[in-house]
Amino acid sequence: MRKCLEFPEEKQICENKWAAFKQAYIGKDKCSIIEENYDKLFAETPFKHPCSKTMFWSKTYELVHKYTEKTECLFTLEDTLLGYVLNGLSWCGEPGSNETLTDKCEDCRPNPVNSFWQVASRKFALHACEGASVMLDGERTEPYDSNSFFGSVEVPSLQSPQVKSLTVVLVNKESGRNCTCEALGSLRKDLDSRIGCTCKAVSKSQVEKCIEDDTPCGTCW
């Protein structure tokens, strides 16, 4: 509730969001909570950010959120109302109780937390349009992981012709590295063939400078 109230335009509906959220798991076996349990919550909380400013990420949590928070050029899932409110939290219920529990809520699959992020990630990707972006860690042996939320949930959910292109921002320690989507594991194969894909290598220091200088949107890479 506290985090919901930090969204000024949402103050009048936070109680309704809380009620819809609790309905998904309160009084239920934590190991039975599937994506459909959150249908009411997401029906009442559609994404409101510009669909053409969708930013995905994988293994770049800290840097990408520093960038989106400072520049407000792009929006990650955690910059949206539900993503922001539930980021970092754990929750579940148990049969016969009206309490919200926060301990050992993720020790089985499915569970309330994983199911929420599965459906949130899918709907976030379905909201995307025009040109979407993703920030990946170029220092990893395999920057693109087909088993990550981005690879397994968001990439398959990107819809053509709604989404026309995906820009991969590959962050490295040093500048000057070349990159292509075809070189990023199975990304090109996993992505709808009708969606264009370009890769732009950028140094971490350059992104940090964009954040520090409040660089205009679209000019950091």
Side-chain angles (χ1 to χ4, degrees):
M1 282 296 293
R2 176 184 59 77
K3 294 177 77 175
C4 182
L5 291 170
E6 291 174 4
F7 272 67
E9 69 275 16
E10 305 291 352
K11 285 187 176 181
Q12 303 303 316
I13 58 173
C14 286
E15 286 286 356
N16 292 338
K17 303 299 182 196
W18 174 236
F21 173 61
K22 288 197 300 181
Q23 180 181 307
Y25 66 89
I26 285 291
K28 301 170 183 175
D29 177 3
K30 64 183 179 182
C31 301
S32 70
I33 307 303
I34 58 178
E35 292 184 25
E36 287 72 16
N37 285 70
Y38 294 100
D39 283 350
K40 179 177 174 62
L41 176 64
F42 280 95
E44 294 183 359
T45 320
F47 290 113
K48 295 182 178 180
H49 64 283
C51 62
S52 62
K53 295 185 176 182
T54 299
M55 169 63 100
F56 303 102
W57 59 273
S58 186
K59 311 297 190 295
T60 54
Y61 178 89
E62 184 176 347
L63 185 63
V64 74
H65 290 105
K66 281 183 179 179
Y67 178 79
T68 58
E69 179 181 6
K70 179 65 182 292
T71 66
E72 297 185 350
C73 295
L74 300 166
F75 295 83
T76 67
L77 175 54
E78 294 77 18
D79 295 317
T80 67
L81 176 62
L82 292 180
Y84 174 75
V85 169
L86 294 172
N87 187 27
L89 301 184
S90 185
W91 63 90
C92 58
E94 61 182 3
S97 171
N98 290 323
E99 295 296 315
T100 291
L101 309 176
T102 58
D103 187 39
K104 297 181 179 178
C105 291
E106 302 172 60
D107 56 3
C108 61
R109 292 289 181 93
N111 64 64
V113 180
N114 183 261
S115 292
F116 169 81
W117 289 111
Q118 289 275 352
V119 66
S121 295
R122 179 167 50 81
K123 289 183 178 294
F124 183 67
L126 289 170
H127 179 77
C129 72
E130 299 299 332
S133 305
V134 59
M135 186 177 287
L136 301 180
D137 183 356
E139 295 303 311
R140 298 179 65 87
T141 304
E142 296 183 357
Y144 172 71
D145 179 2
S146 60
N147 295 315
S148 65
F149 269 100
F150 175 62
S152 65
V153 180
E154 292 167 336
V155 167
S157 299
L158 292 174
Q159 303 286 301
S160 172
Q162 182 172 310
V163 176
K164 294 178 172 55
S165 63
L166 175 69
T167 297
V168 177
V169 180
L170 192 66
V171 180
N172 304 281
K173 286 183 180 179
E174 306 294 336
S175 59
R177 174 176 173 177
N178 293 324
C179 68
T180 64
C181 292
E182 289 72 18
L184 293 172
S186 61
L187 174 59
R188 183 61 269 185
K189 179 174 68 69
D190 296 345
L191 186 66
D192 188 316
S193 62
R194 296 166 296 178
I195 297 176
C197 184
T198 58
C199 184
K200 297 185 177 181
V202 60
S203 66
K204 183 178 180 181
S205 61
Q206 181 178 334
V207 178
E208 291 172 335
K209 189 174 189 305
C210 290
I211 297 169
E212 183 179 340
D213 295 346
D214 205 4
T215 301
C217 297
T219 60
C220 189
W221 45 75

